[in-house]
Amino acid sequence: MSALEFARRIRNRQHAIGYWVVLDDPIATERLARLGYDYVAVDAQHGLIGYTGIRNAMLAIDAGATSAAMVRVEQNDPFAIGRVLDAGATGVIVPLIDSAEDAAAAVRATRYPPEGRRSYGPMRAQLRVGPKPAEANESVLLLAMIETPQGLHNVAEICATPGLDGIYVGPSDLRLAVGGETSTDPAVDEVFEQAVEKIAKAAEAAGIAAGIHTPNGEVARRRLEQGYTFASVASDLVHLEQAAKAHLSAARGDL
């Protein structure tokens, strides 16, 4: 699937399922990217991975010729956004978006003039995304994360931002934002679910995609049935630990 085809799929609110990578291991990432996920997202914010690792992850994902390569950047910054796009990302997920102004700034960072202020230097991206500025503008996705009290309050205005392709829920921070004492606090389940529903409806009303991070495939399926249009599943580090623990328990006869 080309970058443009994937971008159109997300913009058209077609269902997509992705995987989340936090480890700096391109060989593992390449194997994951061959499993059939629609996209693989590399986490440059909380992941254990730097720029060289991001670049190598893009190579690994593209080698599979199956999944689109996404990156969650460190922050809403033109340099952070521009360099992962130059490395070949088909789109970026930008954290901590509090307002329509924040979202508009992120849009400008992903688009070449006159639509934005992205600097032209697609070192690797020119091989597959673009390279003409207008083509790149059409092929690159921008997703804004809704995960703060301000972002939740302003979600309708954020979703209405021109050029924004979709929003993405960070459930851990969102649970804290609605009053949770921890990122998994069950005491706020009801208000958390209300927030998740509010975000999905705001995206639908604006005609943009709505995505969410989930802990497993079952929850991902439930969120898609709930109205979300794409969902990411867990992460490589989480699954590595879960699999190793399960095998240890089996070997010890704990199961």
Side-chain angles (χ1 to χ4, degrees):
M1 183 185 305
S2 71
L4 180 57
E5 289 171 332
F6 178 69
R8 286 175 174 169
R9 178 174 180 176
I10 296 299
R11 289 177 185 138
N12 289 335
R13 294 175 53 83
Q14 295 176 266
H15 280 181
I17 301 171
Y19 195 77
W20 203 257
V21 166
V22 303
L23 295 176
D24 188 356
D25 189 336
I27 297 173
T29 298
E30 182 180 8
R31 292 179 71 95
L32 291 165
R34 291 174 179 266
L35 294 177
Y37 285 93
D38 298 301
Y39 64 92
V40 174
V42 180
D43 190 353
Q45 183 191 21
H46 293 304
L48 308 172
I49 187 166
Y51 174 73
T52 300
I54 294 169
R55 181 201 64 198
N56 290 342
M58 299 298 100
L59 291 167
I61 295 167
D62 290 344
T66 300
S67 305
M70 300 284 290
V71 177
R72 175 165 72 172
V73 295
E74 301 97 315
Q75 58 186 331
N76 189 5
D77 174 79
F79 174 74
I81 292 171
R83 72 173 184 166
V84 300
L85 292 179
D86 290 346
T90 60
V92 292
I93 303 169
V94 181
L96 303 172
I97 297 296
D98 290 334
S99 65
E101 291 77 14
D102 288 347
V107 170
R108 290 193 296 271
T110 63
R111 305 297 197 264
Y112 290 117
E115 297 178 34
R117 60 189 302 260
R118 179 182 173 188
S119 177
Y120 190 82
M123 294 302 167
R124 176 173 178 268
Q126 64 182 312
L127 301 176
R128 56 186 311 280
V129 186
K132 293 181 179 179
E135 293 174 353
N137 286 350
E138 188 179 0
S139 299
V140 167
L141 283 169
L142 171 64
L143 308 174
M145 291 196 71
I146 306 297
E147 53 186 344
T148 66
Q150 298 91 338
L152 180 60
H153 177 75
N154 296 321
V155 64
E157 292 81 2
I158 292 170
C159 288
T161 303
L164 183 65
D165 299 304
I167 54 174
Y168 188 80
V169 175
S172 295
D173 279 316
L174 183 63
R175 189 171 287 268
L176 297 176
V178 298
E181 293 186 1
T182 70
S183 63
T184 57
D185 186 357
V188 296
D189 277 352
E190 183 176 353
V191 66
F192 173 80
E193 289 299 330
Q194 291 172 351
V196 168
E197 185 176 355
K198 174 182 177 179
I199 293 167
K201 288 183 176 179
E204 182 179 12
I208 64 172
I212 188 168
H213 198 90
T214 66
N216 54 57
E218 289 76 14
V219 175
R221 180 175 180 177
R222 177 161 61 87
R223 294 304 186 195
L224 293 174
E225 292 172 345
Q226 184 180 5
Y228 279 82
T229 55
F230 67 99
S232 303
V233 177
S235 76
D236 48 1
L237 180 60
V238 169
H239 284 158
L240 176 65
E241 182 179 18
Q242 289 177 345
K245 182 178 180 181
H247 285 295
L248 177 61
S249 295
R252 286 175 170 171
D254 296 339
L255 299 180

